[in-house]
Amino acid sequence: MSGEVRRLGVLVVHNDPVPEAEIWRAAPAGVEIVTGRFALQRAPGEEYLGESVEDFLSEGVRRTLADLSDAGADALALCFVSVSVFGGTAFDTGFAEAVTAATGVPAFTAGEALRRRLSALSPSDPLLIAPPWFTDRTVAGTAAYLGLPPDIRTHRYDLGPAWDTGTRQDLFDRGAKGHIPHTALRDQILAAATPTTDAILIPGSGFRTLDAAAEVERKLGVPVVSANSAVLGRGLEAAS
């Protein structure tokens, strides 16, 4: 551990400002966040369907992870849920083993962190809130990856008619990440929840959810688990 300060290194998509912003805000005193970025290999209009650990850990990504280690990170997190959704637990394990072997630092994925948190909660009637840029295939894959039933109650955040052009998978790159007011997200979650909802699950590292999640938890009295909150919790464990 780096002295009295715990440092969580987060690896995020090159144009995604959300994970470190939310994790920084939620982190307790004595915890610092160091950030590295990687370029997502996805052409405009292309639907991302995952990649192998070997392909993901390019020379550039390995160099970035080494930089995070050199910056004093006590744990390394990959804040990109989709690669786990399509690569499964085999990707999570392979990534963690390869990165730890190369850097000597405990590593994990946001997907693994979500799975661990969900396992600890064991909700009987969870509600899945998907980012607007998740395609139908990604939503279905997320439910399967998290071990949820295919008919789980699901609500994909609705950006409104102004965004009803182009492909869904391009919404993030077109700037949708900056057009999700926390009040609108809160209201959509509350409208989608039922009296039996006992947990809210929000995958997607680029989905800004911190403020809405806090208000929903106060209103409904049920846990809200986002990708970024799960990463912070898992990172604190790994960095201890």
Side-chain angles (χ1 to χ4, degrees):
M1 186 178 300
S2 307
E4 296 300 318
V5 175
R6 286 182 290 176
R7 293 190 180 92
L8 173 60
V10 295
L11 181 66
V12 301
V13 178
H14 68 282
N15 63 345
D16 187 356
V18 175
E20 69 262 39
E22 297 221 306
I23 295 170
W24 260 115
R25 288 181 58 201
V31 174
E32 295 180 350
I33 311 302
V34 289
T35 307
R37 318 201 90 81
F38 70 95
L40 179 61
Q41 303 304 311
R42 187 192 75 87
E46 181 182 1
E47 184 176 8
Y48 182 81
L49 297 175
E51 54 196 301
S52 68
V53 172
E54 293 74 19
D55 288 342
F56 182 83
L57 290 176
S58 65
E59 180 180 351
V61 170
R62 288 180 181 273
R63 187 181 310 113
T64 299
L65 289 164
D67 289 343
L68 292 174
S69 175
D70 289 344
D74 300 299
L76 296 169
L78 171 56
C79 296
F80 182 45
V81 173
S82 293
V83 72
S84 292
V85 165
F86 292 109
T89 57
F91 180 92
D92 297 337
T93 301
F95 174 86
E97 291 177 349
V99 173
T100 300
T103 64
V105 179
F108 62 94
T109 68
E112 185 227 335
L114 276 170
R115 286 174 59 90
R116 285 170 64 99
R117 182 67 177 131
L118 181 59
S119 177
L121 288 173
S122 297
S124 59
D125 188 20
L127 169 65
L128 181 66
I129 303 295
W133 46 83
F134 270 28
T135 65
D136 290 346
R137 187 157 23 181
T138 303
V139 172
T142 299
Y145 168 74
L146 294 176
L148 301 170
D151 60 347
I152 180 176
R153 179 180 294 275
T154 302
H155 173 75
R156 185 193 282 118
Y157 181 83
D158 184 3
L159 287 163
W163 292 86
D164 287 346
T165 60
T167 60
R168 182 171 296 282
Q169 55 266 29
D170 284 341
L171 287 173
F172 185 89
D173 292 346
R174 288 171 52 203
K177 56 185 176 292
H179 292 268
I180 301 177
H182 85 271
T183 51
L185 177 57
R186 174 202 64 200
D187 292 346
Q188 290 191 29
I189 294 173
L190 293 176
T194 70
T196 60
T197 297
D198 56 356
I200 312 290
L201 309 177
I202 314 180
S205 299
F207 200 6
R208 196 180 299 275
T209 63
L210 187 61
D211 292 326
E215 294 186 20
V216 168
E217 285 188 335
R218 287 195 296 269
K219 180 72 173 179
L220 298 182
V222 302
V224 177
V225 181
S226 70
N228 294 324
S229 69
V231 163
L232 177 58
R234 178 77 175 91
L236 293 178
E237 294 175 3
S240 298

